[in-house]
Amino acid sequence: MDVASGGRMLPRRHVLVANGRVTAVSATPLQASSGALTVDGPGVLARGFVDTHVHGRGGLDVMRPGDVEALSLELLSQGVTGFLPTVVAAPANELAAALSAASGDPLGARVLGIHAEGPFLSPDQPGMFPPDAFRGYDRALWRDMQSEAASPIRLMTVAAERLTPTQIDELRADGVTLSLGHTNATFDQALAAFDAGVTRVTHAYNAMRGFHHRAPGAVGALLDRGDIDAELILDGLHVARAPARILAATRTTGRMVLVSDSVPPAARSPGDYVWAGRRLRVDGDSIRLTTGRLAGSALTLAAAVRRAVDWLDISPAAALHMASEAPRASIGLDPGGLRTGVAADLVLLDPQLHPRMTIVDGAVRWRRNDEQRCANAASGAD
Ligand SMILES: [Zn+2]
């Protein structure tokens, strides 16, 4: 089994897990002691995927109280070990209900916090969302959101051109990572936002002012600033191959954050569904408003990793880095590679990068149906 760590592949390693932690990564076979788990191949072992932008899937909706629990179980089959349930701008009572119910199942992927995609967004760049629930910055509303949330709001998408540097400072002091998105910021406004402390961009290229060679827009500012973390929806529909490659050429893999942005109708049979007050048409990987506008994705992080290898001409280890370690670092969580001491939140993939097994907190929580024995709990483990 190979181990993907820090964007590099360590060949033929053996990994031992105990008490929820990785206790050894070794080139020589390891003997598991009582209560420990030996993880062996074939395939590739990586730190588990972290989806920092996910609204739902298979009918499950982060905005519907109770669904985050089921979603945390559903995401295990994608190799996701942690995620930020992503709430959208909505009337205050609906937003409060969603925030207060955003906790996962104890046997599912971890809820690492909440991503609030709004409500301080620009009505000029609504994407698929009806902009009536978008608001100017409102400190009291933000405080309410924070106190209602079942787990901390760790990430917030903001149209930063609508905030002053002082307001950006206030939010950062509350411990939230700010991501520029649903924004009409010009190039200069976007750069000013980065200088004021916005460190991330939400779904690069989508729902923001595009690139013109004399007016480079928010997209130009992102391309000019390789130190900013860039979310990318690599479903083959939201961004064409060349802009994805151009974005990747402007920064290290550690600044490329693959997200699913999957929405509740994802993975459902073809037909019409309603989400966020809009009618959505599902046809395989395509989810669109009836106008044809894209409305979130049906992507999984594992599929995004595979497309990253293909489209960006990068190694599997580099692509895995974008789905596991880069997202963690972008929200201030335990960055770095798969090494002794990290939490045993792991994904084992086959050589084609399809998940075979998902381990959370040192326990196997999902295993592909055809899987026989790829992990051996030491006999008598207790
Ligand atoms: Zn979204």
Side-chain angles (χ1 to χ4, degrees):
M1 176 184 75
D2 296 342
V3 163
S5 175
R8 293 183 309 125
M9 199 67 87
L10 313 173
R12 293 179 299 284
R13 291 297 198 273
H14 306 266
V15 170
L16 206 61
V17 163
N19 301 319
R21 298 263 147 199
V22 171
T23 52
V25 179
S26 165
T28 52
L30 296 159
Q31 194 63 48
S33 57
S34 174
L37 182 75
T38 313
V39 188
D40 264 318
V44 180
L45 187 72
R47 295 189 74 184
F49 299 150
V50 169
D51 196 348
T52 50
H53 192 153
V54 51
H55 301 287
R57 186 174 186 81
L60 299 169
D61 183 353
V62 167
M63 295 304 288
R64 190 188 305 132
D67 278 14
V68 172
E69 268 185 45
L71 184 63
S72 71
L73 295 168
E74 165 74 22
L75 291 176
L76 291 174
S77 64
Q78 300 180 18
V80 169
T81 58
F83 68 112
L84 302 182
T86 304
V87 300
V88 297
N93 58 333
E94 285 175 38
L95 187 56
L99 287 168
S100 62
S103 26
D105 188 289
L107 296 179
R110 296 179 201 260
V111 172
L112 298 170
I114 291 169
H115 177 176
E117 192 174 12
F120 312 133
L121 305 177
S122 168
D124 297 323
Q125 294 283 354
M128 66 146 292
F129 298 118
D132 6 322
F134 292 5
R135 307 273 293 266
Y137 178 65
D138 177 341
R139 180 113 190 110
L141 174 59
W142 161 248
R143 288 249 186 241
D144 287 348
M145 287 169 63
Q146 245 196 341
S147 61
E148 285 149 356
S151 44
I153 299 174
R154 201 175 276 287
L155 178 64
M156 184 157 65
T157 296
V158 290
E161 73 276 16
R162 304 186 76 199
L163 275 66
T164 65
T166 309
Q167 290 166 340
I168 289 173
D169 265 354
E170 281 175 2
L171 289 168
R172 291 185 68 229
D174 289 340
V176 63
T177 298
L178 295 177
S179 190
L180 182 66
H182 292 277
T183 172
N184 207 30
T186 61
F187 177 79
D188 289 338
Q189 286 171 325
L191 285 189
F194 299 149
D195 288 340
V198 173
T199 57
R200 202 175 192 274
V201 162
T202 296
H203 38 55
Y205 296 108
N206 299 117
M208 63 186 61
R209 192 187 282 262
F211 183 86
H212 182 278
H213 55 287
R214 277 188 297 276
V219 165
L222 175 63
L223 296 176
D224 197 36
R225 284 287 297 265
D227 58 331
I228 298 297
D229 297 309
E231 274 188 17
L232 188 62
I233 309 172
L234 215 49
D235 64 349
L237 299 171
H238 277 75
V239 177
R241 186 178 180 188
R245 292 162 66 88
I246 291 166
L247 180 70
T250 61
R251 63 206 61 239
T252 64
T253 52
R255 295 285 182 206
M256 292 284 288
V257 179
L258 298 178
V259 294
S260 72
D261 200 6
S262 79
V263 292
R268 302 197 76 180
S269 39
D272 286 4
Y273 300 87
V274 173
W275 180 62
R278 290 284 161 101
R279 181 164 297 279
L280 272 49
R281 186 153 294 165
V282 174
D283 183 10
D285 286 344
S286 154
I287 302 181
R288 296 175 188 273
L289 301 180
T290 47
T291 58
R293 178 188 277 276
L294 285 166
S297 91
L299 185 63
T300 67
L301 276 192
V305 166
R306 294 191 295 272
R307 184 167 278 106
V309 172
D310 180 23
W311 276 23
L312 307 179
D313 289 323
I314 57 175
S315 68
L320 290 164
H321 191 56
M322 297 177 179
S324 64
E325 294 154 11
R328 278 185 179 82
S330 76
I331 53 172
L333 292 177
D334 178 26
L338 202 174
R339 62 194 186 279
T340 301
V342 297
D345 293 359
L346 306 167
V347 54
L348 180 66
L349 304 111
D350 67 21
Q352 288 72 43
L353 301 177
H354 292 271
R356 293 174 54 189
M357 186 169 77
T358 305
I359 296 172
V360 184
D361 200 22
V364 177
R365 294 203 182 159
W366 175 83
R367 203 185 285 254
R368 201 164 72 192
N369 278 337
D370 60 347
E371 213 49 53
Q372 294 301 310
R373 267 181 94 73
C374 48
N376 313 299
S379 57
D382 55 16

